Amino acid sequence: HDALPISSTFKICNSLIGLETGVIKDGNFVIPWDSVKRPNPKWNQDHDLKLAFKNSTVWYYRELARRVGGEKMKFWLDKAEYGNADTSGGVDLFWLKGGLRVTPEQQIEFLKRLRNNKLPFSKRSVDIVKKIMIAKDTLNYVVRAKTGWSDEEKRIVGWYVGYIEKNNNVYYFANCIQSSDLYHKDFGRARTEIAYRILNDLKVTKE
């Protein structure tokens, strides 16, 4: 499989690095909004880590990365063996417009190590990130996941990656879709919908 731009799925790793380096204290750590109006109205307010993950708030994570700094960021990407670990393109942009690339297999591999506490981060950092990753919590199963969206010159790339815990079983998924229609109105929704349709067909997320 091609290595692809990673976009907002990097927020899983970025959160771990922020916590591990002490730049962020916990899930309630607030970074104040800089008052710059952005196209997504949800972003125009102060955010803590929980909300920034939920809203996929780009400015929060760019500021987090700046506070971590280039050297530490590279150190942790190498240590965690995250994608191609390429931080070229700027400390606050490398996962958006820079050199960081990942394959769907690498996404799954990273999620497995996260789930099994096999990453080089403390249990505390991992537990906080697992908590903020919860996308669905039902009586039968829990979904932990993250979306991603990358605009390139001639295509858009959409991600939905995560894992589901159900009856002592774990199911990992990495859905990656691409389109050359740069203004496709259903693209954002399709990332998650396709994943859940497949998971429903496989009876993983059926109630």
Side-chain angles (χ1 to χ4, degrees), residues 2-207:
D2 285 357
L4 294 149
I6 206 152
S7 58
S8 279
T9 59
F10 180 62
K11 289 188 169 78
I12 299 171
C13 188
N14 205 354
S15 301
L16 287 165
I17 293 169
L19 290 159
E20 198 67 18
T21 54
V23 163
I24 299 177
K25 305 287 177 282
D26 53 34
N28 303 316
F29 185 77
V30 174
I31 296 179
W33 177 43
D34 58 8
S35 302
V36 176
K37 285 260 164 57
R38 293 177 175 85
N40 185 338
K42 284 183 180 166
W43 292 358
N44 300 329
Q45 57 176 312
D46 294 355
H47 276 66
D48 64 12
L49 183 68
K50 296 192 302 289
L51 188 63
F53 192 90
K54 184 173 174 246
N55 288 343
S56 208
T57 306
V58 171
W59 66 258
Y60 183 100
Y61 279 92
R62 288 185 68 188
E63 177 58 28
L64 190 167
R66 285 193 287 270
R67 293 182 186 188
V68 169
E71 212 171 292
K72 274 188 186 160
M73 190 59 91
K74 178 67 180 141
F75 169 83
W76 283 107
L77 284 188
D78 286 339
K79 198 169 160 126
E81 296 173 352
Y82 189 79
N84 64 357
D86 184 343
T87 57
S88 63
V91 68
D92 61 349
L93 278 175
F94 66 87
W95 68 94
L96 297 163
K97 307 270 181 214
L100 189 60
R101 294 286 179 278
V102 72
T103 64
E105 289 85 354
Q106 286 172 324
Q107 293 270 31
I108 298 267
E109 197 44 49
F110 187 78
L111 290 165
K112 280 185 176 169
R113 288 187 291 145
L114 174 77
R115 159 73 179 46
N116 297 321
N117 299 318
K118 295 277 192 285
L119 287 170
F121 301 103
S122 68
K123 187 170 182 312
R124 179 184 180 271
S125 298
V126 170
D127 285 347
I128 291 169
V129 171
K130 283 178 179 173
K131 200 169 169 186
I132 64 172
M133 280 178 72
I134 294 174
K136 282 189 182 185
D137 191 354
T138 75
L139 287 172
N140 295 324
Y141 62 86
V142 178
V143 182
R144 289 180 170 81
K146 185 72 196 77
T147 51
W149 177 306
S150 176
D151 286 311
E152 295 187 307
E153 233 172 273
K154 298 203 165 93
R155 67 170 179 177
I156 42 179
V157 178
W159 287 103
Y160 192 51
V161 306
Y163 65 92
I164 297 158
E165 291 170 312
K166 180 184 182 183
N167 307 333
N168 299 324
N169 289 322
V170 192
Y171 306 88
Y172 297 89
F173 62 89
N175 184 31
C176 184
I177 59 174
Q178 300 172 44
S179 174
S180 53
D181 175 357
L182 302 182
Y183 303 102
H184 198 300
K185 68 177 189 349
D186 295 322
F187 189 77
R189 218 174 54 227
R191 298 171 299 174
T192 52
E193 262 186 29
I194 291 168
Y196 282 118
R197 239 178 242 183
I198 294 166
L199 291 162
N200 283 339
D201 286 348
L202 295 170
K203 305 278 189 284
V204 175
T205 51
K206 269 273 191 281
E207 290 300 324

